[in-house]
Amino acid sequence: MKNNVITTFNPFFDFFLSSDKKDYAHSMDTDIIEYNDRYEMKINLPNVEKENIKLKLEDGYLKVEASFDEKTEEEKKYIYRERKYGSFARSYYVGDEVKYDHINAKLDKGVLTLTIKKTEPVKEEPQYINID
């Protein structure tokens, strides 16, 4: 099994997925599965079109931003409304060793699946300093 900076659940998914916890954070319910060579994340994004999803990898965090608007053809007077609309985001700490080309994304039936390849930690050789 590969040794990886992401070997345990906690470092990879800090605070089960550090979140821009707005009211819509629950709309991004997430499952995370670990395999020998990769992690797989399944994120619920019902009613969100592919064009309205942005994935950004920066400083060790993978940020998922999604938005959807209700299409209205006429004015409506809601009596009761539970379905959410608008935009929301959630950040997942994946570590500095994960690069954008280690991540594959697919949207199918309202579920965004992210496959994140495990990486070997970079082992730096010690640097010796000469004394004058």
Side-chain angles (χ1 to χ4, degrees), residues 20-67:
D20 299 342
K21 282 224 181 233
K22 298 178 182 166
D23 293 335
Y24 302 116
H26 70 278
S27 298
M28 296 180 83
D29 295 336
T30 303
D31 291 337
I32 302 168
I33 306 159
E34 181 178 13
Y35 296 96
N36 288 335
D37 61 342
R38 69 191 184 284
Y39 293 96
E40 187 174 273
M41 299 172 62
K42 294 186 178 287
I43 305 169
N44 283 347
L45 295 173
N47 302 320
V48 178
E49 300 294 329
K50 177 175 138 177
E51 300 78 31
N52 295 328
I53 300 172
K54 292 180 186 174
L55 303 173
K56 180 171 78 171
L57 183 64
E58 185 175 36
D59 298 327
Y61 284 88
L62 174 61
K63 185 170 188 174
V64 179
E65 298 176 1
S67 63

Side-chain angles (χ1 to χ4, degrees), residues 104-117:
N104 293 314
K106 179 182 178 184
L107 182 66
D108 185 36
K109 297 179 182 171
V111 178
L112 177 65
T113 300
L114 301 173
T115 303
I116 304 170
K117 178 181 168 185

Side-chain angles (χ1 to χ4, degrees), residues 14 16-20 61-64 89-93:
D14 248 357
F16 190 71
L17 318 160
S18 158
S19 149
D20 299 342
Y61 284 88
L62 174 61
K63 185 170 188 174
V64 179
R90 193 162 182 184
S91 295
Y92 305 84
Y93 182 74

